[in-house]
Amino acid sequence: MNKIFETPLYGYERSPDQDSPTPVRRKVIVIGAGPVGLAAAIDLAQHGVEVVVLDENDKVSFGSRAICFSQRTLEIADRLGCGHRLVDKGVLWDRGKVFFDDRQVYDFNLQPDEGYANPAFINLQQYHFEDYFVQRVRELQAEGAPIEIRGRNKVDAIGTHQDHVRLEVETPEGPYTVEAEWLIACDGATSPTRRMLGIDFEGRVFEDNFLIADVIMDADFPSERWFWFDPPFNRGQSALLHKQPDNVWRIDLQLGWDIDKEREKRPENVIPRLKAMLGDDVEFQLEWVSIYTFQCRRMESFCKGRVLFAGDSAHQVSPFGARGANSGLQDTDNLCWKLKLVLDGKAPESLLDSYNTERVQGADENIQKSSRSTDFITPKSEMSRVLRDAVLDLSEQYEFARPLVNSGRLSQPCTYDGSSLNSADALDGPAETRPGSACPDAPLGDEFLLPKLAGKFTLLTIDADAPDTLEEDGVEVTRLALSVKDDLTLALKRRYLGDATSAVYLIRPDQHVAARRDSYEENSFRHAIRRACGKE
Amino acid sequence: MSDLILSPNIDKVDDFYAELLAAHEGLEKADSDALNARLVLVLANHVGDSVVLSDAIRAAALADN
């Protein structure tokens, strides 16, 4: 049986662009059909923007790779029409165990937070994620949306111009030239686009190697996350066991920096390590083995004229805390509505500067959090190890030490504090919904809040008056009127009102709060809309 | 029953741990040990209560309660 990642999903087909006597100019070209590139393309197509995805391959990712998708990613995927597929297939887990040396020091049960449509995270192989996103592209095509994926189209050269980019593309039938008003580079950590444009990838270099094995076990192994610090079967390093769908288990073994990668990848070296970890009597098959090397760094700027970088091409983090694909989806979530406004002439090009500012802020936060996890997992000095081991020893007996154990912190959406798109906070409301925050979900009877805020500017009123629609300089805003009288779980009140009795929120198309006050005041909200579009 | 707090009580726990590691960064082991000793004494003074301090010493020794 062929695996999904061995089956071509977007095989090469000749495009009319290859036969055009002069290069055709497309609105937006996306390089890379990974999770981030597909999300960008679907988002733009849903906004009615013509988009072409070029990928040098014709298949989804080989092996599981990114496996942990956060609540924010699932919310974004909902807006892109793919969320339910991910949740239906993904594995939910709520129990974890922490081991130190040769013993279990504690276990924990994550109580799911109430009042969200989506779970805190799911485990799912990246190839399933990409497969579902490709299916969504096919649906959009069937509806007539201007979106296509061109497999085995490898970009060989990029020319940057004032108002467009020009690409030389290699195909199985030879090269062709195509142009785009905007280019989004989602071509991964080794981004050829970045290299072709000669841009440095700056920041702190942090290096390590992980042996990643996908193991198929039919045994009745518990659906838990197990993390080992300094275990007997991997001395001085860490190990992680995580469940994925289809009886596939993901095993990460840290190997350190100075290793012979080819030797470590051989089954005769991998299998004894896994047996030492899982126990001699556990039957398993190896599906995929890889060695993953990471560095923590980001580009100085994610925008270079008409070329915009998103995902791993713009920033890389250590794998702890699942901040690769998850942050990449927050990039495109932030970028696409801005690009749409700019393409429609409803916002100045400088609005895209805020993409850079806000997502650099997100990248720095992710780099900080994942570096802290890395510092805990792989202490860099003797004292750092002494303190780490003290935390682990205490955690066995004392609850207070457990929050200090850092084997990866859950990925949370970045709050864009200080963004030039925010208006000053004018509500004595909860901190979690201050300007710059991603809107937290809340139940509305049988439905949920976030799907009602998708893809457009919204004026959310809670027990407050406001006009049903508002237009400011070409940008339309529609009202969503809610009342705490219908808020049976009080989640809306808790998350959006706090001690206030009424509120009006201006919410961006990416579901981040732009402004809030206790009541509607036309002048201030008109200013807030202009500000959120980079016009003030 | 002492008043020694053994449930999670540190505000912004990851920020604290990062600051602690940063304080040790670049120090020789002997200097790091000395820093830890001074930190214990500063914190002990803040706690003050001798019963709590005795319980804290027992807790840190991982003696059975």
Side-chain angles (χ1 to χ4, degrees):
Chain A
M1 191 188 79
N2 278 349
K3 300 275 183 191
I4 182 70
F5 54 87
E6 293 167 340
T7 312
L9 286 185
Y10 36 90
Y12 171 74
E13 283 175 37
R14 192 171 183 85
S15 157
D17 290 3
Q18 289 166 256
D19 301 314
S20 172
T22 55
V24 175
R25 186 172 299 180
R26 299 289 176 180
K27 283 282 179 201
V28 179
I29 289 180
V30 173
I31 303 181
V36 182
L38 290 168
I42 291 168
D43 206 343
L44 290 168
Q46 290 190 165
H47 279 299
V49 175
E50 176 194 69
V51 57
V52 176
V53 183
L54 305 178
D55 195 281
E56 61 179 322
N57 207 320
D58 56 6
K59 301 178 189 71
V60 293
S61 88
F62 190 78
S64 59
R65 299 176 68 182
I67 61 159
C68 195
F69 295 98
S70 70
Q71 184 174 65
R72 184 64 199 147
T73 293
L74 298 172
E75 291 165 355
I76 294 168
D78 267 343
R79 190 169 64 70
L80 301 179
C82 312
H84 62 285
R85 292 185 181 93
L86 305 179
V87 176
D88 289 350
K89 180 73 179 178
V91 169
L92 298 172
W93 61 270
D94 55 17
R95 197 172 173 81
K97 286 181 180 159
V98 176
F99 301 85
F100 176 41
D101 195 353
D102 57 356
R103 66 198 198 276
Q104 179 184 324
V105 284
Y106 67 97
D107 61 6
F108 58 91
N109 218 327
L110 295 170
Q111 295 302 328
D113 254 346
E114 295 293 321
Y116 298 89
N118 282 296
F121 48 85
I122 59 164
N123 283 2
L124 182 72
Q125 295 91 328
Q126 182 173 331
Y127 49 79
H128 284 313
F129 184 106
E130 291 179 13
D131 181 24
Y132 300 147
F133 272 54
V134 171
Q135 287 177 29
R136 176 63 183 149
V137 170
R138 300 301 178 218
E139 278 175 17
L140 286 165
Q141 286 174 322
E143 294 164 13
I147 180 170
E148 60 172 306
I149 310 178
R150 296 184 190 167
R152 299 178 70 192
N153 272 239
K154 181 175 178 290
V155 176
D156 269 345
I158 300 172
T160 54
H161 302 270
Q162 188 67 35
D163 63 349
H164 70 282
V165 293
R166 193 180 170 104
L167 306 178
E168 305 299 329
V169 184
E170 186 61 44
T171 76
E173 296 182 305
Y176 71 103
T177 303
V178 64
E179 294 178 349
E181 290 184 25
W182 294 91
L183 178 69
I184 308 179
C186 307
D187 48 357
T190 59
S191 177
T193 304
R194 204 178 54 223
R195 185 175 37 78
M196 283 186 274
L197 296 183
I199 305 172
D200 283 340
F201 204 15
E202 300 184 5
R204 170 187 176 196
V205 176
F206 199 108
E207 293 164 323
D208 212 322
N209 287 295
F210 284 77
L211 178 80
I212 294 176
D214 279 350
V215 162
I216 303 172
M217 286 193 285
D218 290 325
D220 191 19
F221 221 71
S223 185
E224 300 174 348
R225 179 190 197 257
W226 291 9
F227 198 97
W228 287 263
F229 292 97
D230 194 11
F233 57 84
N234 198 24
R235 267 298 165 215
Q237 308 286 356
S238 67
L240 172 65
L241 177 71
H242 232 187
K243 188 172 190 205
Q244 306 173 49
D246 313 324
N247 286 328
V248 177
W249 295 81
R250 165 71 161 272
I251 292 165
D252 290 18
L253 287 166
Q254 185 190 11
L255 298 178
W257 184 235
D258 197 18
I259 56 150
D260 179 346
K261 290 189 190 183
E262 286 314 307
R263 195 181 155 277
E264 294 292 348
K265 262 200 286 199
R266 286 183 211 135
E268 69 262 32
N269 293 317
V270 173
I271 287 171
R273 278 186 191 275
L274 298 184
K275 279 192 178 296
M277 179 172 171
L278 301 170
D280 270 338
D281 50 338
V282 174
E283 296 279 327
F284 61 85
Q285 280 171 268
L286 273 180
E287 178 175 76
W288 174 68
V289 176
S290 173
I291 292 203
Y292 179 74
T293 302
F294 69 82
Q295 301 176 325
C296 285
R297 53 186 183 174
R298 67 162 170 87
M299 294 174 74
E300 195 181 348
S301 168
F302 298 172
C303 306
K304 176 86 174 174
R306 290 284 174 123
V307 185
L308 307 161
F309 291 83
D312 282 0
S313 73
H315 44 75
Q316 268 181 280
V317 292
S318 83
F320 311 112
R323 288 155 197 281
N326 287 313
S327 66
L329 259 81
Q330 287 170 55
D331 289 346
T332 61
D333 191 43
N334 188 291
L335 173 60
C336 290
W337 67 272
K338 295 175 181 174
L339 190 52
K340 162 74 176 167
L341 285 179
V342 170
L343 280 164
D344 288 351
K346 291 180 178 176
E349 260 186 57
S350 59
L351 176 60
L352 297 173
D353 295 345
S354 72
Y355 165 65
N356 180 55
T357 318
E358 293 182 339
R359 292 313 301 159
V360 160
Q361 188 181 348
D364 285 347
E365 197 174 289
N366 286 324
I367 287 171
Q368 184 199 57
K369 289 192 173 154
S370 65
S371 296
R372 286 176 173 182
S373 302
T374 312
D375 285 344
F376 192 87
I377 294 164
T378 58
K380 286 191 301 299
S381 69
E382 196 183 343
M383 183 50 71
S384 183
R385 179 174 294 275
V386 167
L387 289 166
R388 196 279 307 269
D389 290 355
V391 167
L392 291 168
D393 279 329
L394 287 166
S395 74
E396 190 171 4
Q397 283 191 35
Y398 303 113
E399 199 195 338
F400 86 88
R402 294 174 191 170
L404 284 157
V405 175
N406 189 343
S407 66
R409 297 284 184 238
L410 197 60
S411 166
Q412 302 282 359
C414 178
T415 297
Y416 304 128
D417 284 319
S419 169
S420 63
L421 306 194
N422 297 347
S423 294
D425 194 358
L427 179 76
D428 185 19
E432 70 171 314
T433 41
R434 67 189 183 275
S437 313
C439 286
D441 209 353
L444 301 175
D446 295 337
E447 298 176 299
F448 281 89
L449 173 64
L450 289 185
K452 297 178 186 296
L453 304 176
K456 58 189 190 326
F457 273 100
T458 304
L459 205 57
L460 168 65
T461 61
I462 303 170
D463 294 320
D465 280 330
D468 288 337
T469 59
L470 182 67
E471 193 189 309
E472 173 60 28
D473 196 18
V475 176
E476 281 177 28
V477 180
T478 48
R479 178 185 178 200
L480 174 66
L482 300 176
S483 170
V484 289
K485 289 199 291 289
D486 311 317
D487 182 28
L488 299 178
T489 65
L490 296 182
L492 190 68
K493 177 172 166 40
R494 205 164 52 245
R495 291 169 191 159
Y496 288 86
L497 284 183
D499 295 329
T501 52
S502 67
V504 182
Y505 281 77
L506 176 66
I507 295 166
R508 308 179 348 183
D510 58 2
Q511 301 171 334
H512 279 255
V513 175
R516 64 177 187 177
R517 305 183 66 82
D518 53 4
S519 64
Y520 180 71
E521 201 185 283
E522 181 169 342
N523 203 30
S524 62
F525 276 97
R526 286 194 179 276
H527 274 296
I529 297 164
R530 296 179 63 83
R531 232 179 127 71
C533 296
K535 294 173 186 170
E536 284 191 6
Chain B
M1 189 67 190
S2 79
D3 293 316
L4 178 66
I5 299 168
L6 288 169
S7 55
N9 190 43
I10 303 173
D11 187 30
K12 296 187 180 166
V13 72
D14 288 343
D15 287 349
F16 156 71
Y17 197 76
E19 195 176 340
L20 181 59
L21 290 190
H24 284 284
E25 205 162 293
L27 296 186
E28 296 296 325
K29 180 62 166 54
D31 294 331
S32 252
D33 287 343
L35 174 65
N36 274 346
R38 292 193 298 268
L39 182 59
V40 165
L41 296 172
V42 168
L43 293 174
N45 180 64
H46 181 83
V47 171
D49 186 312
S50 62
V51 177
V52 175
L53 288 171
S54 296
D55 286 346
I57 290 169
R58 254 195 306 281
L62 296 175
D64 287 329
N65 301 340

PDB file of all heavy atoms in Angstrom, chain A residues 224-241:
ATOM      1  N   GLU A 224      -0.303   8.766  25.840  1.00  0.00           N
ATOM      2  CA  GLU A 224       0.258   9.756  26.757  1.00  0.00           C
ATOM      3  C   GLU A 224       1.520  10.359  26.158  1.00  0.00           C
ATOM      4  O   GLU A 224       2.117   9.780  25.251  1.00  0.00           O
ATOM      5  CB  GLU A 224       0.620   9.092  28.100  1.00  0.00           C
ATOM      6  CG  GLU A 224      -0.552   8.454  28.799  1.00  0.00           C
ATOM      7  CD  GLU A 224      -0.173   7.675  30.045  1.00  0.00           C
ATOM      8  OE1 GLU A 224       1.030   7.421  30.287  1.00  0.00           O
ATOM      9  OE2 GLU A 224      -1.093   7.304  30.780  1.00  0.00           O
ATOM     10  N   ARG A 225       1.912  11.498  26.699  1.00  0.00           N
ATOM     11  CA  ARG A 225       3.183  12.102  26.294  1.00  0.00           C
ATOM     12  C   ARG A 225       4.201  11.777  27.375  1.00  0.00           C
ATOM     13  O   ARG A 225       4.008  12.121  28.537  1.00  0.00           O
ATOM     14  CB  ARG A 225       3.034  13.614  26.167  1.00  0.00           C
ATOM     15  CG  ARG A 225       4.309  14.355  25.780  1.00  0.00           C
ATOM     16  CD  ARG A 225       4.091  15.859  25.940  1.00  0.00           C
ATOM     17  NE  ARG A 225       5.082  16.666  25.252  1.00  0.00           N
ATOM     18  CZ  ARG A 225       6.106  17.281  25.872  1.00  0.00           C
ATOM     19  NH1 ARG A 225       6.284  17.138  27.158  1.00  0.00           N
ATOM     20  NH2 ARG A 225       6.936  18.037  25.173  1.00  0.00           N
ATOM     21  N   TRP A 226       5.264  11.104  27.003  1.00  0.00           N
ATOM     22  CA  TRP A 226       6.310  10.738  27.962  1.00  0.00           C
ATOM     23  C   TRP A 226       7.573  11.504  27.612  1.00  0.00           C
ATOM     24  O   TRP A 226       8.023  11.466  26.464  1.00  0.00           O
ATOM     25  CB  TRP A 226       6.608   9.224  27.913  1.00  0.00           C
ATOM     26  CG  TRP A 226       5.501   8.367  28.447  1.00  0.00           C
ATOM     27  CD1 TRP A 226       4.240   8.757  28.788  1.00  0.00           C
ATOM     28  CD2 TRP A 226       5.563   6.963  28.692  1.00  0.00           C
ATOM     29  NE1 TRP A 226       3.511   7.693  29.234  1.00  0.00           N
ATOM     30  CE2 TRP A 226       4.292   6.573  29.181  1.00  0.00           C
ATOM     31  CE3 TRP A 226       6.556   5.991  28.556  1.00  0.00           C
ATOM     32  CZ2 TRP A 226       4.002   5.248  29.525  1.00  0.00           C
ATOM     33  CZ3 TRP A 226       6.264   4.673  28.897  1.00  0.00           C
ATOM     34  CH2 TRP A 226       5.000   4.315  29.385  1.00  0.00           C
ATOM     35  N   PHE A 227       8.132  12.140  28.624  1.00  0.00           N
ATOM     36  CA  PHE A 227       9.365  12.896  28.402  1.00  0.00           C
ATOM     37  C   PHE A 227      10.422  12.439  29.397  1.00  0.00           C
ATOM     38  O   PHE A 227      10.171  12.364  30.603  1.00  0.00           O
ATOM     39  CB  PHE A 227       9.120  14.409  28.575  1.00  0.00           C
ATOM     40  CG  PHE A 227      10.202  15.233  27.950  1.00  0.00           C
ATOM     41  CD1 PHE A 227      10.036  15.767  26.684  1.00  0.00           C
ATOM     42  CD2 PHE A 227      11.397  15.445  28.609  1.00  0.00           C
ATOM     43  CE1 PHE A 227      11.054  16.499  26.087  1.00  0.00           C
ATOM     44  CE2 PHE A 227      12.427  16.169  28.013  1.00  0.00           C
ATOM     45  CZ  PHE A 227      12.246  16.700  26.751  1.00  0.00           C
ATOM     46  N   TRP A 228      11.607  12.116  28.887  1.00  0.00           N
ATOM     47  CA  TRP A 228      12.709  11.658  29.731  1.00  0.00           C
ATOM     48  C   TRP A 228      13.831  12.685  29.756  1.00  0.00           C
ATOM     49  O   TRP A 228      14.260  13.154  28.690  1.00  0.00           O
ATOM     50  CB  TRP A 228      13.321  10.380  29.166  1.00  0.00           C
ATOM     51  CG  TRP A 228      12.545   9.114  29.292  1.00  0.00           C
ATOM     52  CD1 TRP A 228      12.703   8.152  30.262  1.00  0.00           C
ATOM     53  CD2 TRP A 228      11.541   8.604  28.394  1.00  0.00           C
ATOM     54  NE1 TRP A 228      11.863   7.089  30.023  1.00  0.00           N
ATOM     55  CE2 TRP A 228      11.140   7.330  28.885  1.00  0.00           C
ATOM     56  CE3 TRP A 228      10.951   9.080  27.238  1.00  0.00           C
ATOM     57  CZ2 TRP A 228      10.178   6.546  28.257  1.00  0.00           C
ATOM     58  CZ3 TRP A 228       9.986   8.324  26.608  1.00  0.00           C
ATOM     59  CH2 TRP A 228       9.598   7.069  27.119  1.00  0.00           C
ATOM     60  N   PHE A 229      14.307  12.997  30.977  1.00  0.00           N
ATOM     61  CA  PHE A 229      15.534  13.773  31.122  1.00  0.00           C
ATOM     62  C   PHE A 229      16.635  12.798  31.515  1.00  0.00           C
ATOM     63  O   PHE A 229      16.492  12.066  32.495  1.00  0.00           O
ATOM     64  CB  PHE A 229      15.382  14.830  32.221  1.00  0.00           C
ATOM     65  CG  PHE A 229      14.405  15.929  31.877  1.00  0.00           C
ATOM     66  CD1 PHE A 229      13.091  15.874  32.322  1.00  0.00           C
ATOM     67  CD2 PHE A 229      14.806  17.020  31.123  1.00  0.00           C
ATOM     68  CE1 PHE A 229      12.205  16.898  32.026  1.00  0.00           C
ATOM     69  CE2 PHE A 229      13.916  18.041  30.820  1.00  0.00           C
ATOM     70  CZ  PHE A 229      12.614  17.980  31.266  1.00  0.00           C
ATOM     71  N   ASP A 230      17.702  12.804  30.748  1.00  0.00           N
ATOM     72  CA  ASP A 230      18.892  12.023  31.090  1.00  0.00           C
ATOM     73  C   ASP A 230      18.574  10.550  31.399  1.00  0.00           C
ATOM     74  O   ASP A 230      18.961  10.035  32.451  1.00  0.00           O
ATOM     75  CB  ASP A 230      19.576  12.702  32.304  1.00  0.00           C
ATOM     76  CG  ASP A 230      20.989  12.184  32.531  1.00  0.00           C
ATOM     77  OD1 ASP A 230      21.513  11.467  31.645  1.00  0.00           O
ATOM     78  OD2 ASP A 230      21.552  12.469  33.597  1.00  0.00           O
ATOM     79  N   PRO A 231      17.875   9.862  30.509  1.00  0.00           N
ATOM     80  CA  PRO A 231      17.521   8.458  30.794  1.00  0.00           C
ATOM     81  C   PRO A 231      18.690   7.514  30.528  1.00  0.00           C
ATOM     82  O   PRO A 231      19.606   7.867  29.788  1.00  0.00           O
ATOM     83  CB  PRO A 231      16.396   8.189  29.784  1.00  0.00           C
ATOM     84  CG  PRO A 231      16.716   9.080  28.625  1.00  0.00           C
ATOM     85  CD  PRO A 231      17.368  10.317  29.205  1.00  0.00           C
ATOM     86  N   PRO A 232      18.659   6.322  31.138  1.00  0.00           N
ATOM     87  CA  PRO A 232      19.747   5.349  30.955  1.00  0.00           C
ATOM     88  C   PRO A 232      19.960   4.979  29.481  1.00  0.00           C
ATOM     89  O   PRO A 232      21.088   4.704  29.072  1.00  0.00           O
ATOM     90  CB  PRO A 232      19.261   4.122  31.736  1.00  0.00           C
ATOM     91  CG  PRO A 232      18.235   4.624  32.685  1.00  0.00           C
ATOM     92  CD  PRO A 232      17.626   5.835  32.064  1.00  0.00           C
ATOM     93  N   PHE A 233      18.879   4.999  28.676  1.00  0.00           N
ATOM     94  CA  PHE A 233      19.036   4.592  27.279  1.00  0.00           C
ATOM     95  C   PHE A 233      19.492   5.738  26.369  1.00  0.00           C
ATOM     96  O   PHE A 233      19.677   5.543  25.178  1.00  0.00           O
ATOM     97  CB  PHE A 233      17.719   3.991  26.741  1.00  0.00           C
ATOM     98  CG  PHE A 233      16.533   4.916  26.857  1.00  0.00           C
ATOM     99  CD1 PHE A 233      16.296   5.858  25.882  1.00  0.00           C
ATOM    100  CD2 PHE A 233      15.679   4.848  27.959  1.00  0.00           C
ATOM    101  CE1 PHE A 233      15.210   6.720  25.987  1.00  0.00           C
ATOM    102  CE2 PHE A 233      14.595   5.710  28.065  1.00  0.00           C
ATOM    103  CZ  PHE A 233      14.362   6.652  27.076  1.00  0.00           C
ATOM    104  N   ASN A 234      19.651   6.936  26.942  1.00  0.00           N
ATOM    105  CA  ASN A 234      20.128   8.074  26.137  1.00  0.00           C
ATOM    106  C   ASN A 234      20.817   9.060  27.078  1.00  0.00           C
ATOM    107  O   ASN A 234      20.387  10.191  27.252  1.00  0.00           O
ATOM    108  CB  ASN A 234      18.953   8.725  25.395  1.00  0.00           C
ATOM    109  CG  ASN A 234      19.410   9.604  24.224  1.00  0.00           C
ATOM    110  OD1 ASN A 234      20.508   9.404  23.679  1.00  0.00           O
ATOM    111  ND2 ASN A 234      18.599  10.574  23.855  1.00  0.00           N
ATOM    112  N   ARG A 235      21.918   8.619  27.658  1.00  0.00           N
ATOM    113  CA  ARG A 235      22.596   9.344  28.727  1.00  0.00           C
ATOM    114  C   ARG A 235      22.954  10.780  28.363  1.00  0.00           C
ATOM    115  O   ARG A 235      23.471  11.031  27.285  1.00  0.00           O
ATOM    116  CB  ARG A 235      23.884   8.627  29.123  1.00  0.00           C
ATOM    117  CG  ARG A 235      23.723   7.668  30.271  1.00  0.00           C
ATOM    118  CD  ARG A 235      23.271   8.376  31.543  1.00  0.00           C
ATOM    119  NE  ARG A 235      22.780   7.404  32.528  1.00  0.00           N
ATOM    120  CZ  ARG A 235      21.769   7.630  33.372  1.00  0.00           C
ATOM    121  NH1 ARG A 235      21.117   8.789  33.345  1.00  0.00           N
ATOM    122  NH2 ARG A 235      21.395   6.715  34.221  1.00  0.00           N
ATOM    123  N   GLY A 236      22.635  11.655  29.305  1.00  0.00           N
ATOM    124  CA  GLY A 236      23.002  13.064  29.133  1.00  0.00           C
ATOM    125  C   GLY A 236      22.102  13.815  28.183  1.00  0.00           C
ATOM    126  O   GLY A 236      22.287  15.006  27.956  1.00  0.00           O
ATOM    127  N   GLN A 237      21.113  13.119  27.613  1.00  0.00           N
ATOM    128  CA  GLN A 237      20.250  13.741  26.602  1.00  0.00           C
ATOM    129  C   GLN A 237      18.791  13.582  27.014  1.00  0.00           C
ATOM    130  O   GLN A 237      18.496  13.151  28.118  1.00  0.00           O
ATOM    131  CB  GLN A 237      20.503  13.084  25.234  1.00  0.00           C
ATOM    132  CG  GLN A 237      21.957  13.027  24.819  1.00  0.00           C
ATOM    133  CD  GLN A 237      22.517  14.371  24.388  1.00  0.00           C
ATOM    134  OE1 GLN A 237      21.806  15.376  24.317  1.00  0.00           O
ATOM    135  NE2 GLN A 237      23.811  14.406  24.119  1.00  0.00           N
ATOM    136  N   SER A 238      17.901  13.907  26.097  1.00  0.00           N
ATOM    137  CA  SER A 238      16.472  13.797  26.398  1.00  0.00           C
ATOM    138  C   SER A 238      15.806  12.827  25.427  1.00  0.00           C
ATOM    139  O   SER A 238      16.408  12.415  24.428  1.00  0.00           O
ATOM    140  CB  SER A 238      15.800  15.167  26.281  1.00  0.00           C
ATOM    141  OG  SER A 238      15.811  15.580  24.930  1.00  0.00           O
ATOM    142  N   ALA A 239      14.584  12.471  25.722  1.00  0.00           N
ATOM    143  CA  ALA A 239      13.796  11.623  24.826  1.00  0.00           C
ATOM    144  C   ALA A 239      12.323  11.964  24.999  1.00  0.00           C
ATOM    145  O   ALA A 239      11.895  12.387  26.072  1.00  0.00           O
ATOM    146  CB  ALA A 239      14.033  10.150  25.144  1.00  0.00           C
ATOM    147  N   LEU A 240      11.575  11.779  23.905  1.00  0.00           N
ATOM    148  CA  LEU A 240      10.151  12.115  23.918  1.00  0.00           C
ATOM    149  C   LEU A 240       9.383  11.050  23.155  1.00  0.00           C
ATOM    150  O   LEU A 240       9.815  10.610  22.089  1.00  0.00           O
ATOM    151  CB  LEU A 240       9.951  13.481  23.258  1.00  0.00           C
ATOM    152  CG  LEU A 240       8.517  13.948  22.988  1.00  0.00           C
ATOM    153  CD1 LEU A 240       7.757  14.169  24.287  1.00  0.00           C
ATOM    154  CD2 LEU A 240       8.524  15.240  22.179  1.00  0.00           C
ATOM    155  N   LEU A 241       8.265  10.655  23.723  1.00  0.00           N
ATOM    156  CA  LEU A 241       7.364   9.708  23.051  1.00  0.00           C
ATOM    157  C   LEU A 241       5.988  10.367  22.956  1.00  0.00           C
ATOM    158  O   LEU A 241       5.458  10.845  23.957  1.00  0.00           O
ATOM    159  CB  LEU A 241       7.273   8.425  23.875  1.00  0.00           C
ATOM    160  CG  LEU A 241       6.317   7.329  23.371  1.00  0.00           C
ATOM    161  CD1 LEU A 241       6.875   6.688  22.102  1.00  0.00           C
ATOM    162  CD2 LEU A 241       6.124   6.267  24.441  1.00  0.00           C
TER     163      LEU A 241
END
